[in-house]
Amino acid sequence: MSELVPGGNLPLPEGAVTVRVAGPFDVSALVTDESGKVGGDADFVFYNQPSAPGVRLSGDTLTVDPRRLREGAVRVTVVVSPADPATPLGRLPVPVLEVTRVGGGPLARFTPPRPRQETVLLLAELYRRGDGWKLRALGQGYADGLGGLARDFGVDVVDETPATTEAGASVTTGPGRPASAPPTFPAAPASRSHRFPAAPPGSPEPCPRAAPPTPPAPRPAPSSPDLTTFLTLVNSARGRAGSPPVTLESRLTEAARAHASAMASAGRLGVEGADGVSVFQRVTATGYAYITVGEHLVSGPRNPAEFVEYCLRTEQPRRTLLDPAFTHAGPAYVSRGRSGDTYWTALWARPLTTADLTRTADEVVALTNRERARAGLPDLAVDHHLAGAAQAYSTDMAVRAFYSHTSPEGTQPWDRAAAAGSTRRSIGENIACGQRSAAEVVEGWMNSPGHRANILKPDFTHIGVGFAGGGPAGTYWTQLFGA
């Protein structure tokens, strides 16, 4: 089973899959075409409308069969919101997505960053790619409820109590959500209530679960690992693929060892350890700043040869190991007590330099302007005030481990732009996390209706881009638009 991070994706097998989010949440889905819009209100699957062609909602589980979707459908977006609308997502457990093949085993699991002010999360999407379908983890939040999200996707929504914002503001209050007056979603019918399923007749009363026994303390493998052998095997494979060699970096190795130990202690693989610290936070805690990063989190291989062999025979791990963008590596594995199970963390990165940061921001601007040119719109010019604000915000999200258009202090994009010296009359913002390149992040924004609307807004004339590595998601991106 794959553990996904925001922006991560994997191919889906043919046939139907189930998508489950257990807990005090409402699960819904939006079926969209190439335009990013629904074909009609029937494409919104939720508690009051639990089915559409190819999609069925039953309790906390969606069953999606891409072969049976309506004609023209290319994407199914999975959405979660609190079952009790009065309870913010930030006060609930983190919604965990579990994807399983119908009639088969588990395929993927995704734990998004903990929500803060958001009231709705776009948790994942199933999308057509060529002749097949893929799953992409999102973890993007909306701050104005299901109504704002549904309207962005083209669902007719009746406003009940229009809100107001600062005059002249055109800012996203959810990911890519331009909101001059965020709508509210109509209240649920009075007859609707939400409760967890009752125990079947005759079932014993539920009782508190005993705390699991404390697992044996992990111990480093004797060679932890044989770094010379590891490097020789890796660079031999990279050479055959035409990729430049990597060198070992002690800070990456330190972070890898800490994360492998955390996984061994918990007895499970995960981007975030039982201590609540992500593998990316462990990297930045060592003082290593990166412009791009990759990771292998693997259990089973007993030595470097078995680990590299596993990576080379598996598609996504092979791509990471051979990625020509990486220049540094740091591997470690730890055995779990008497069981002898091994937990590997291998980190791959390219260090952050001023030149790389400038190049990455320039690539985002160039790709954004290419999309505008395709729509017949003029290029956006770089504004250094907007760029400074965008860079500061990406860094803030990475350092303080949050992901929202609203900062923990309550500042909005226009506040941050003004504080950086911008005098633009209208401000828009796109944010993203988890993507590993400029091309990947712009593609993701263009595949999201709200983000796309900001990129293609005719009124915008200027742009600033920010990027930072770290935090629970690994990478944080910001686009600020101004007019």
Side-chain angles (χ1 to χ4, degrees):
M1 182 175 67
S2 297
E3 289 276 357
L4 297 178
V5 298
N9 62 73
L10 82 160
L12 292 174
E14 290 188 9
V17 298
T18 62
V19 180
R20 180 173 184 259
V21 184
F25 306 105
D26 279 335
V27 183
S28 52
L30 292 141
V31 181
T32 54
D33 52 28
E34 292 284 5
S35 70
K37 301 292 185 181
V38 297
D41 290 356
D43 281 344
F44 188 17
V45 177
F46 66 117
Y47 55 85
N48 270 354
Q49 185 170 275
S51 65
V55 184
R56 184 178 74 255
L57 174 64
S58 177
D60 59 9
T61 302
L62 284 161
T63 301
V64 182
D65 188 344
R67 301 166 300 181
R68 300 182 182 276
L69 295 174
R70 66 166 175 84
E71 185 177 356
V74 299
R75 191 177 308 271
V76 178
T77 303
V78 181
V79 180
V80 294
S81 56
D84 177 4
T87 303
L89 276 174
R91 295 183 184 175
L92 298 176
V94 175
V96 177
L97 179 91
E98 296 177 332
V99 183
T100 303
R101 183 175 184 173
V102 172
L107 296 172
R109 174 186 169 97
F110 171 52
T111 305
R114 175 171 291 279
R116 290 179 180 266
Q117 291 88 352
E118 296 87 355
T119 56
V120 176
L121 277 183
L122 278 69
L123 200 52
E125 59 185 8
L126 291 76
Y127 64 99
R128 186 192 299 277
R129 178 55 57 90
D131 294 331
W133 283 75
K134 301 184 78 173
L135 171 75
R136 177 185 288 121
L138 296 176
Q140 299 169 347
Y142 269 58
D144 52 351
L146 278 174
L149 178 145
R151 177 163 293 158
D152 271 359
F153 280 78
V155 179
D156 290 334
V157 179
V158 178
D159 283 350
E160 288 189 336
T161 54
T164 58
T165 63
E166 260 183 73
S170 174
V171 62
T172 54
T173 57
R177 167 80 179 141
S180 55
T184 59
F185 194 69
S191 60
R192 177 179 183 262
S193 63
H194 182 93
R195 64 191 64 178
F196 292 103
S203 296
E205 289 295 318
C207 59
R209 295 174 57 188
T214 303
R219 57 179 174 81
S223 56
S224 197
D226 181 339
L227 300 180
T228 302
T229 301
F230 175 89
L231 194 62
T232 300
L233 293 168
V234 165
N235 283 335
S236 177
R238 287 174 66 87
R240 292 192 298 271
S243 298
V246 293
T247 58
L248 294 173
E249 220 291 343
S250 60
R251 290 170 294 182
L252 293 180
T253 301
E254 176 187 341
R257 186 174 295 110
H259 198 71
S261 294
M263 292 192 301
S265 293
R268 63 176 176 84
L269 298 174
V271 171
E272 185 176 285
D275 54 4
V277 180
S278 78
V279 65
F280 312 110
Q281 289 169 307
R282 299 188 203 281
V283 173
T284 54
T286 68
Y288 186 96
Y290 55 81
I291 192 70
T292 188
V293 67
E295 74 285 344
H296 287 119
L297 308 176
V298 179
S299 129
R302 294 164 296 180
N303 53 54
E306 289 186 5
F307 174 80
V308 173
E309 180 186 359
Y310 157 78
C311 291
L312 292 178
R313 70 171 183 260
T314 312
E315 181 184 1
Q316 184 58 54
R318 180 175 65 250
R319 286 206 304 238
T320 298
L321 188 146
L322 302 179
D323 192 331
F326 299 134
T327 59
H328 288 154
Y333 66 93
V334 169
S335 293
R336 185 171 185 252
R338 278 177 263 176
S339 72
D341 295 340
T342 54
Y343 288 81
W344 281 82
T345 299
L347 295 168
W348 314 84
R350 181 186 186 93
L352 176 69
T353 66
T354 302
D356 276 333
L357 185 58
T358 300
R359 175 182 52 78
T360 299
D362 288 346
E363 286 178 5
V364 172
V365 173
L367 291 168
T368 298
N369 281 333
R370 186 176 72 180
E371 298 294 344
R372 287 177 64 87
R374 288 174 176 170
L377 298 171
D379 284 356
L380 300 172
V382 174
D383 180 306
H384 72 275
H385 294 300
L386 296 179
Q391 182 58 44
Y393 198 57
S394 286
T395 301
D396 193 26
M397 287 191 290
V399 170
R400 294 202 284 170
F402 73 94
Y403 179 64
S404 172
H405 291 279
T406 304
S407 75
E409 292 75 30
T411 64
Q412 302 291 341
W414 58 80
D415 300 321
R416 298 188 287 272
S422 174
T423 58
R424 302 288 166 194
R425 293 175 293 109
S426 181
I427 295 293
E429 181 180 78
N430 285 343
I431 59 175
C433 65
Q435 296 81 0
R436 305 302 172 87
S437 69
E440 187 180 346
V441 75
V442 173
E443 179 186 9
W445 281 327
M446 288 300 294
N447 286 333
S448 170
H451 296 89
R452 180 187 180 97
N454 270 344
I455 288 174
L456 301 183
K457 184 171 181 178
D459 293 347
F460 287 142
T461 56
H462 289 78
I463 187 174
V465 173
F467 165 85
T475 60
Y476 293 80
W477 305 79
T478 303
Q479 282 181 317
L480 269 182
F481 304 92

